[in-house]
Amino acid sequence: MATALPTTDRLDRLAEKHRSTLDQALATIRTRAYWSPHPEHPKAYGEGGSLDAAAGLAAHKAVLNTRFELDQPGTDGWTGGEVSPYGPELGIEYPHADIDVLLPAMRAGTAAWRDAGAEIRALVCLEILSRISARTHEFAHAVMHTSGQAFMMAFQAGGPHAQDRGLEAVAYAYEEQTRTPAGRAGWSKPQGKRDPLELSKEFTPVGRGIALVIGCNTFPTWNGYPGLFASLATGNPVLVKPHPRAVLPLALTVSVAREVLAENGFDPNLVALAVERPGEGIAKTLAVRPEVRIIDYTGSTEFGDWLEANARQAQVYTEKAGVNTVVVDSTDDYKGMLANLAFSLSLYSGQMCTTPQNLLIPRDGIATDQGPKSYDEVVADLAASVGGLLGDDARANGLLGALVNPDVKARLEAAAGLGEVALASREVVNPDFPDAVVRTPVIVKLDGSKPDAQAAYFSECFGPVSFAVSVDSTADALELLRRTVREKGAMTVGAYTTSAETERAVEEVCLEESAQLSLNLTGGVYVNQTAAFSDFHGSGGNPAANAALCDGAFVSNRFRVVEVRRQA
């Protein structure tokens, strides 16, 4: 471990580099304006240098077919087995941990991390994010070959957008911890003619204990960073348990974090990795350990519900399944609406927790700037828009990526038997990765009044599957929307209408049911995209998630303020 620097020297060095970024992040979460310190364009990282595309690819290739050394306590063997959705085996072995050894080791550095204070913790976290950002090209390949995202999406969503979400969590964590003054505060209560009562009071934010991050397959960094950095910044050690198919991006993250902690005089075991052997299922074991006091989870409703019911010693933050819905009432930009929906349905093969699934369309049709359009016309035109968007295989590969696992493919194939197919899925060949499973979306027409149709559209069908559901009226669509959000949850809701009355009615449903709403999107912003520092991802108020990324509630229960009173 590196020799610890004096606290003032460490703070000065980190503050000079990162304090302005922290201040801007704090300002932006109040204004909700656009801002990002992490460049989205690959060329922003330089060409011909140590951070460019060639260097990132070389770094990614260098880690393949190797042992990923972390020098963690309690390593009792090696495990791996990741296979890229694009075909190749990664061939990487990761340390397997004896948790009875690792967990106590993680707690050993907690006191020093606590005593460092909120500002140093925040600045150390920003240094971790800065070093991850410098390796964005490398991380992009890691995300691509574990999630199946196309490279540009992996670069942006797995790189700068994920880093923004981590920084956002740090900003909220710092703000919540500094609401109470740091250090000693004098307290004096007048007693009339007698001497006042005087005390010296000291307030210290104290973490709850070890935080467990249970990673997901589709967005390992984007979904993993908020919890990781929120917990670390509030004084908690963090144990990262990646999804077995998506270990590499989070292993790289843990490696960088351990390096930065050690260089700044802290115990690197404040951040550690727990990789499971095939079929081991260590998430359940870890989740109920008494040392684990915080859990962040993204994934299936079944396991999320299990965590909430069984990990009673921990504060559990879950993002689970939902049924995202779009209400189509009317539009003054029919072409723009179709193009926007087509992109939303196609991006990353619909493998996003925010992708629309159910499109509720009145069976008598809608009013548009191109005249009245029947239900059948709207569905046919949307199918044509998706087909046109993905008609070129090169563009299709760039948007769709690859199906992340065989379960998605099975759901896609089964969906065609649920109703009348308005747009059939087709196979797309990726010339660079011939073993990749690439499929265009399927759109299925369903009658919203029929019980057998309700069974289909009232369940999440994760992947490139959308249901065009005919309803009797917009009012019926709103009632179905309300029921869907209340009973099944939704990460996103969309609506298209030219009616102020309908717009207000949709808003009221979403306000009452705590669902994030996007209205009349026809340009380059899509319902399944959210921007850090400005948009809330999820609300925490419906069954799809019990927390929002990111707000004060997401961080405030990760620590407690402990008071020490002294007689003055």
Side-chain angles (χ1 to χ4, degrees):
M1 184 187 302
T3 303
L5 298 172
T7 300
T8 53
D9 291 347
R10 185 187 311 140
L11 177 59
D12 288 346
R13 185 186 67 180
L14 292 170
E16 181 180 0
K17 187 174 182 181
H18 299 300
R19 182 69 219 201
S20 62
T21 301
L22 177 60
D23 289 341
Q24 184 62 58
L26 291 166
T28 307
I29 62 175
R30 299 185 190 107
T31 65
R32 315 306 294 181
Y34 171 76
W35 173 72
S36 172
H38 303 115
E40 285 186 322
H41 199 286
K43 291 185 178 178
Y45 296 82
E47 294 186 76
S50 61
L51 310 179
D52 72 359
L57 179 58
H60 172 69
K61 288 182 175 179
V63 80
L64 301 179
N65 301 304
T66 66
R67 280 190 167 177
F68 197 100
E69 299 280 355
L70 283 174
D71 193 27
Q72 289 185 170
T75 297
D76 60 8
W78 296 86
T79 186
E82 291 160 292
V83 178
S84 169
Y86 289 93
E89 294 184 6
L90 302 193
I92 304 171
E93 289 188 312
Y94 302 95
H96 181 273
D98 179 342
I99 59 175
D100 289 327
V101 176
L102 180 58
L103 292 180
M106 293 183 70
R107 299 173 68 179
T110 302
W113 187 236
R114 175 200 67 212
D115 294 344
E119 183 171 14
I120 290 183
R121 286 196 296 271
L123 295 174
V124 169
C125 287
L126 264 63
E127 176 63 18
I128 296 169
L129 285 165
S130 175
R131 295 198 192 180
I132 291 171
S133 177
R135 296 168 62 178
T136 292
H137 276 283
E138 178 186 359
F139 272 76
H141 289 285
V143 171
M144 174 183 176
H145 284 290
T146 52
S147 72
Q149 294 175 30
F151 178 77
M152 273 306 299
M153 185 174 185
F155 183 93
Q156 293 182 339
H161 297 173
Q163 295 152 21
D164 285 348
R165 282 297 184 191
L167 175 55
E168 179 186 40
V170 173
Y172 273 100
Y174 178 81
E175 179 147 285
E176 291 298 321
Q177 290 174 97
T178 55
R179 289 186 186 279
T180 303
R184 294 190 179 184
W187 183 86
S188 179
K189 180 179 180 180
Q191 296 292 299
K193 294 182 180 180
R194 291 175 294 170
D195 291 338
L197 298 175
E198 294 187 348
L199 294 174
S200 172
K201 301 184 179 184
E202 188 172 5
F203 305 93
T204 303
V206 177
R208 295 176 69 103
I210 292 175
L212 173 65
V213 175
I214 303 175
C216 71
N217 194 174
T218 49
F219 288 89
T221 55
W222 199 99
N223 279 111
Y225 283 6
L228 191 164
F229 285 100
S231 288
L232 190 60
T234 50
N236 304 280
V238 181
L239 179 60
V240 178
K241 204 298 289 183
H243 191 283
R245 295 192 188 100
V247 178
L248 182 57
L250 292 178
L252 291 169
T253 302
V254 168
S255 177
V256 173
R258 292 173 62 84
E259 174 186 86
V260 171
L261 287 164
E263 287 181 9
N264 286 280
F266 296 105
D267 190 336
N269 296 319
L270 288 165
V271 179
L273 187 72
V275 183
E276 60 191 291
R277 296 188 176 104
E280 185 177 10
I282 61 171
K284 281 190 174 183
T285 302
L286 290 169
V288 296
R289 292 280 300 211
E291 304 97 324
V292 171
R293 305 303 301 277
I294 302 167
I295 298 173
D296 288 275
Y297 168 75
T298 300
S300 71
T301 296
E302 180 182 11
F303 190 59
D305 289 346
W306 185 92
L307 287 170
E308 291 169 359
N310 291 278
R312 295 187 177 276
Q313 85 292 348
Q315 179 68 31
V316 179
Y317 300 89
T318 58
E319 180 190 316
K320 301 177 287 189
V323 178
N324 301 320
T325 301
V326 176
V327 175
V328 183
D329 168 73
S330 54
T331 180
D332 57 9
D333 184 0
Y334 187 60
K335 183 178 179 181
M337 179 189 79
L338 294 174
N340 192 279
L341 286 174
F343 188 92
S344 297
L345 301 181
S346 303
L347 185 62
Y348 184 33
S349 301
Q351 298 171 120
M352 303 172 68
C353 62
T354 50
T355 299
Q357 174 179 300
N358 294 343
L359 310 175
L360 308 185
I361 306 167
R363 65 181 77 254
D364 291 335
I366 67 172
T368 80
D369 57 317
Q370 297 182 17
K373 297 288 184 180
S374 69
Y375 163 82
D376 287 334
E377 287 177 312
V378 173
V379 178
D381 290 344
L382 177 59
S385 186
V386 174
L389 176 67
L390 303 176
D392 176 76
D393 281 3
R395 180 164 56 178
N397 276 306
L399 283 175
L400 296 170
L403 299 188
V404 69
N405 61 53
D407 292 340
V408 176
K409 182 173 179 284
R411 281 192 293 271
L412 170 63
E413 293 172 345
L418 297 175
E420 180 185 345
V421 175
L423 176 66
S425 176
R426 72 178 182 89
E427 182 177 355
V428 179
V429 175
N430 187 320
D432 296 321
F433 300 100
D435 293 330
V437 178
V438 184
R439 299 289 188 275
T440 62
V442 64
I443 300 177
V444 179
K445 297 167 73 172
L446 296 175
D447 186 334
S449 64
K450 294 184 176 179
D452 58 339
Q454 292 176 13
Y457 67 71
F458 214 55
S459 300
E460 186 191 37
C461 193
F462 184 78
V465 177
S466 295
F467 300 118
V469 183
S470 64
V471 293
D472 289 338
S473 65
T474 297
D476 288 330
L478 295 182
E479 283 307 307
L480 180 54
L481 169 65
R482 182 188 300 277
R483 181 185 167 205
T484 302
V485 176
R486 181 175 294 175
E487 296 183 24
K488 299 297 181 179
M491 295 298 293
T492 59
V493 172
Y496 291 90
T497 183
T498 58
S499 163
E501 181 181 355
T502 300
E503 182 174 316
R504 180 58 194 157
V506 177
E507 286 185 41
E508 191 63 26
V509 171
C510 290
L511 290 170
E512 291 178 357
E513 304 302 331
S514 295
Q516 310 294 15
L517 172 64
S518 297
L519 284 164
N520 297 318
L521 298 183
T522 57
V525 177
Y526 305 94
V527 66
N528 43 350
Q529 296 174 320
T530 59
F533 309 108
S534 183
D535 295 322
F536 292 108
H537 177 74
S539 71
N542 69 65
N546 72 1
L549 304 181
C550 182
D551 60 9
F554 185 69
V555 299
S556 60
N557 216 13
R558 296 172 189 264
F559 70 95
R560 287 289 181 263
V561 177
V562 176
E563 175 185 358
V564 177
R565 301 191 297 179
R566 294 178 174 85
Q567 188 72 43

